[in-house]
Amino acid sequence: MKAKRHDNLVAFFSKIALANRMTFLDDWHSITQQPTPSPSILRVYSICWLLCAAFCMISLQVKFLYPFEKAQPLYEFPDGAMYLWSVIWAAMAVLASQQSGFVKKAIHHLIRADWRWWLGFFLITLAYAQVDDSKLMRSFIFLPFKATGLVWMTVLLWPVICKGTYAAKVISVYIVLAGTAYSVPGIFFPPFYRGIEGFIDVPDWRKGDDMVLWGYQLVRDDGARIWLGRDVIAPAYKLFEYHSAMLALAYWQTPAGDHYTQRFKHNAEQNMKELSEFYIKVYQRQWTLLKQGKYSGERYLGKWACPIHNRTRPMPYGAFAPEHIAAIDYVSEYYPAHDRARPTRRVLMHYSLKTHRARVTFPRDYPIDFWFKAP
Amino acid sequence: MKQPHSFAELFYTPKPAVWVLWMRVVLFGFFAWRVMSYDFAIFGLAPESVLSVYPAMLHYDVELNYFLGVPWVVDMATFHWIHWWLPLPNVSQLEHIQWAVCGICLIVVAGGRGPYHLFSFMAIAGVTYLWGFLWRSGVIDSMFPQLAMAWVYSLSRMVEPANLLRKDSYRRLTQHRSEFGALYSSVLIIWIGYYFTSGINKWSDLPLPDWFNYRFSHVHTFYVQAVDIAGFDPLIPKFLAPFFQFPLLDFIFPALIYISHCLIPLMYFRRHLIPVFMVFYLWFHVLTMGVYTLFAEIIAIWFLFIPIQTAFEPLRIQSAVSMRWLSHWCWLAPVEWIARQSDQASMIIDVNKQQSYPLFSTRSVLRLLWVNPLGWPLLALASCLYYTPLLCALWIRPEKPKR
C-alpha cells in the first residue's frame, strides 16, 4: 500500500521529537534517532523566517493605519530598525533554503535543545534588546527567539497532535496556539494571552515631592467638587485610565493631510461629550448604591462581590445627588512640595450639563506626551 | 514503584475524581461570582464611541502592546460579530443576559457539563460575550487563563464525577484515574504558561537595569499622600504600610518576582513545589494591594491547586514515628489529640510498624489538619507559615517514594 505523505511527515516529526526525549507517543522507543536535520526542517525554518520577514514588513504598514506623527511626535516609530530586521530575516530564510553550513548546524543544535546554543541565541538577542529603548521594538527583537522556540515546540508536539491521546491532543493544540499568540507582537485573541508586561518605572512626578493628580471630578451646582472613583463606572473603569484613548480616537477620526488641529479639537470635544454623558448616566444609575457607601459592583452580591483591579475607597457621594450635578471636569491638580495646602487646579476638559457641551483646553506648557499618559 | 519523571509520564499521573469536582466548583463558581460582581447593564448606556476603545487603541499612547487587537479580530473572538447585524443590547437585555450566564455557570457547578458538554460551552460563550464588552471598552481584564482552563475542561472526554445525569458518578470520588491526571496537568500547564510568558516578557519588555528600578515604595507613598492630602480615591490598606518602609527592598523584590516567573515551569516537574509557589504568589498578590493593584481573580484560581483529595483520604499514622514527633514537637500533641478525638469518619488509621509506609515528614502537621473539618480553618494559617519559600528551602524535600 502506498504510504501517504501525511504519514511520512508524522514519522519525520516523531524522529525529531524523539531526539529531544519528549513525546506523548507510546511507541517512541521503537523510533530510531535521526542524526542530522533533513532538508525538510530547513524548508520549514525557511518558510517561517520568510513569514516573519513578511510580518515585519506588514507591521510597517501599521504606521499608515495609526497616525503616529500626529499623535506623538516624541515617539518615533523605528522604521529603519524594522526594515533591518526584515532584511535579516529574509537573509536567514535564503540561507536556510540554500542549506548553509552554519544555519544547518545551528538548527541541528537548536532542534535538539542543546542548551548552549539556546543560551547563546538568548544572550545575543538580549544584548541587542538592550540597545533599543522602545518596548515595541524589543518585542520585535525577541521575535526570532520566540518564533524559533515556537517552531521547536510545534515540531515536538506534532506527533502528539497527529497520533497522541485525545487529552494530549487538546493541550498540545492549546500550547501551539497560545505559543503563536505569545510570539506574534501585538496580537490579541482571547482566551490566548501574551502575559503580563514588564513593569515600567513610574513617571518622575511620582518620585519627587511635588505631586500631580489627574482625574475626573463631579462639580455640584454650588461649586463643590468630588473625585469620581473608578468603582463608579466599573466594569468600564479603564476608560478613566485611558482618558487619552478618547483623545486618540479623535486623532483616529481626523483624516490625515487635513488641517488637523481644528478638526482634532472638534472631534475630541465630540468624543469627550459622549464620554461625559455616559459617565453621568452611569452615575445616575449607581447613585442609590453609592450614597449607601457601596460600590457599583456590589449591586447583586453586596460586600461579597469580587473587587476590581484598582480598588477605590468609598467616597461621600451621598452629598452629590445627580440632580445637583452641574458639570463633570477632567482636571490636573498640582501640589507643590513647599505648600501642599494650596494646590493649582487646571481644568483640561469641562462638560456642562446645562449646555450639553464639552470644552477641551490644551495648556501650552504641558508636554505633548502629557495628553497620552495614563493618569 | 518507579517515580514518574518525564514530561509525558507526569502528564498522566493519576488524580482522584474529587479534584475534578473541586475544579468544576471553583472554576465555574468563580465565573458566576465574577459575572455577578459587575454591573454589565451600564454598557447599555454606552454610546458607540465608548464601545470602540478596542485593544488596538489601548497603550496606543505608550507602547502599542495590542496593536493587532483591531475591531474585527476582537469581535470574532468574543461573539460580538453578531452585532455586525444586530443592535447592541440595552440595559434590560444586558441584565437578563447577565443573570442567564450566572445561571448556566451554576448549573455546571451543580451538575457538570451536561449533554454534549452543552452547558459548559454555553457558559464559556456567555462569559466570553460579556467580557467582550470590557475588551472593547478599554479593559484588558484577567480572564484569559481561566477561560482557557474552562475550554480544556469542556473539551475533555473523561467520565465526569458527580454528574447530574449519571447517578453512579457520585460514587468513588477518591478513585484515581489517569484521565483526571491529564486534565490536572493541562490546567497546570495553562497556569504555568500564564506566569512563564509574563516572565519572558520581563526580558523583552525591560532593559536589564529596569529589573531593579521599580520603586514600589515610591508608588505606595504617592498614593498614601494622594489620599491624605488631596482626598484622592485609591484604597490602600493600612496594614500593608510596614512592608513599604524599606526602599532597599525595591531593588530586590521585583527582580525576585521576575525570576520566580521564569522558574515556575519547575512546578510541573516537581509537583511538591506547587504549594511553595502558591504561598509565594498569594503573598505577592496581597502585597500589590499596597500599590493600588489587586489580583482577586488570580488569587481565586490558585485555590484550584489545593490538594482537596487529602480530606478524603485516610491518614496513616505510624505510632513509633508519632511518638518521636511528640517528643520533638510538643505543640503537635494537642493537634493530634483533637484530631483523634473528633475522628468520627475513622480517617486516621494506625498502621503496623512493619508495613513499609513512608516516614512522616514535617508536612504531617498539614495532613493532621486536613483529616478533620475542625482543622481546616487552621490549615490556611499553617500553610502560610509552612510553605514560605525561605522555610521551604531549608526543610522541605520531595516526598520519599513508596517502596
Side-chain angles (χ1 to χ4, degrees), chain A residues 147-173:
Chain A
T148 309
L150 178 66
V151 171
W152 173 71
M153 208 163 56
T154 311
V155 166
L156 273 182
L157 294 173
W158 189 256
V160 186
I161 292 168
C162 294
K163 285 186 173 177
T165 61
Y166 179 76
K169 274 181 187 177
V170 169
I171 193 63
S172 303
V173 169

Side-chain angles (χ1 to χ4, degrees), chain A residues 314-330:
Chain A
M315 305 284 272
Y317 292 114
F320 286 76
E323 58 271 21
H324 293 299
I325 302 296
I328 179 168
D329 286 356
Y330 186 75

Side-chain angles (χ1 to χ4, degrees), chain B residues 13-87:
Chain B
T13 306
K15 275 279 167 188
V18 69
W19 181 82
V20 179
L21 176 61
W22 172 248
M23 180 218 171
R24 191 176 87 199
V25 171
V26 171
L27 190 59
F28 285 86
F30 164 78
F31 284 144
W33 178 54
R34 201 87 172 89
V35 164
M36 296 315 286
S37 299
Y38 280 152
D39 184 13
F40 284 95
I42 67 162
F43 292 110
L45 302 167
E48 191 71 27
S49 63
V50 169
L51 289 174
S52 300
V53 190
Y54 281 90
M57 304 289 299
L58 294 183
H59 305 272
Y60 168 74
D61 42 338
V62 186
E63 280 294 351
L64 278 168
N65 285 330
Y66 301 103
F67 65 87
L68 296 179
V70 291
W72 67 270
V73 173
V74 180
D75 287 351
M76 288 299 288
T78 57
F79 304 101
H80 275 241
W81 47 266
I82 59 170
H83 297 306
W84 297 347
W85 299 285
L86 297 176

Side-chain angles (χ1 to χ4, degrees), chain A residues 229-231 308-313, chain B residues 219-220 223 232-237 287-294:
Chain A
R230 293 177 188 218
D231 264 306
I308 64 169
H309 192 57
N310 305 111
R311 296 178 74 201
T312 55
R313 62 198 179 90
Chain B
V219 183
H220 175 80
Y223 282 124
F232 209 40
D233 55 355
L235 179 67
I236 309 293
L287 271 181
T288 54
M289 287 167 71
V291 288
Y292 194 27
T293 307
L294 174 64

Side-chain angles (χ1 to χ4, degrees), chain B residues 63-351:
Chain B
E63 280 294 351
L64 278 168
N65 285 330
Y66 301 103
F67 65 87
L68 296 179
V70 291
W72 67 270
V73 173
V74 180
D75 287 351
M76 288 299 288
T78 57
F79 304 101
H80 275 241
W81 47 266
I82 59 170
H83 297 306
W84 297 347
W85 299 285
L86 297 176
L88 287 160
N90 59 30
V91 172
S92 160
Q93 287 164 342
L94 273 165
E95 280 176 350
H96 283 94
I97 292 170
Q98 188 173 355
W99 279 105
V101 172
C102 175
I104 200 81
C105 289
L106 291 177
I107 288 172
V108 178
V109 167
R113 294 168 294 179
Y116 305 106
H117 306 180
L118 204 60
F119 294 158
S120 58
F121 283 128
M122 283 168 67
I124 292 171
V127 171
T128 310
Y129 174 76
L130 285 179
W131 254 256
F133 285 99
L134 272 72
W135 291 326
R136 58 186 289 186
S137 68
V139 183
I140 304 291
D141 211 34
S142 181
M143 283 293 270
F144 306 97
Q146 295 89 334
L147 282 170
M149 287 171 186
W151 271 110
V152 169
Y153 165 73
S154 303
L155 288 169
S156 67
R157 285 181 183 161
M158 65 184 174
V159 178
E160 175 128 12
N163 186 343
L164 267 187
L165 303 176
R166 292 184 58 172
K167 285 181 183 172
D168 59 336
S169 65
Y170 287 86
R171 297 172 194 160
R172 295 194 293 273
L173 280 176
T174 53
Q175 186 187 37
H176 285 60
R177 295 179 71 153
S178 61
E179 55 186 352
F180 301 146
L183 179 65
Y184 181 85
S185 299
S186 302
V187 167
L188 192 59
I189 287 169
I190 291 168
W191 198 231
I192 286 171
Y194 175 71
Y195 279 103
F196 186 60
T197 49
S198 306
I200 298 291
N201 281 349
K202 302 299 180 288
W203 294 99
S204 62
D205 291 354
L206 300 176
L208 280 178
D210 279 9
W211 274 51
F212 310 97
N213 199 25
Y214 186 77
R215 282 163 236 183
F216 56 81
S217 63
H218 280 286
V219 183
H220 175 80
T221 311
F222 167 76
Y223 282 124
V224 169
Q225 287 183 355
V227 171
D228 293 345
I229 297 166
F232 209 40
D233 55 355
L235 179 67
I236 309 293
K238 285 200 167 58
F239 72 91
L240 289 173
F243 293 98
F244 295 94
Q245 303 307 314
F246 309 102
L248 188 64
L249 288 180
D250 292 4
F251 301 98
I252 300 167
F253 201 66
L256 191 66
I257 297 294
Y258 302 158
I259 290 167
S260 78
H261 284 353
C262 296
L263 292 180
I264 207 168
L266 287 174
M267 212 165 72
Y268 182 87
F269 297 99
R270 301 281 183 268
R271 301 283 171 99
H272 69 279
L273 291 175
I274 291 174
V276 180
F277 278 102
M278 182 194 286
V279 170
F280 178 73
Y281 278 110
L282 290 182
W283 273 114
F284 165 60
H285 292 316
V286 169
L287 271 181
T288 54
M289 287 167 71
V291 288
Y292 194 27
T293 307
L294 174 64
F295 295 92
E297 58 287 289
I298 303 295
I299 291 172
I301 292 304
W302 267 113
F303 289 110
L304 277 180
F305 301 103
I306 286 179
I308 192 72
Q309 66 276 9
T310 319
F312 293 80
E313 290 168 354
L315 176 65
R316 294 177 171 83
I317 287 186
Q318 212 169 10
S319 300
V321 178
S322 184
M323 288 307 290
R324 197 185 69 188
W325 267 70
L326 292 180
S327 62
H328 285 284
W329 301 79
C330 292
W331 60 279
L332 261 181
V335 176
E336 186 177 344
W337 185 82
I338 291 169
R340 281 177 182 279
Q341 291 301 311
S342 55
D343 184 26
Q344 300 300 323
S346 303
M347 295 290 274
I348 300 176
I349 301 168
D350 278 297
V351 297

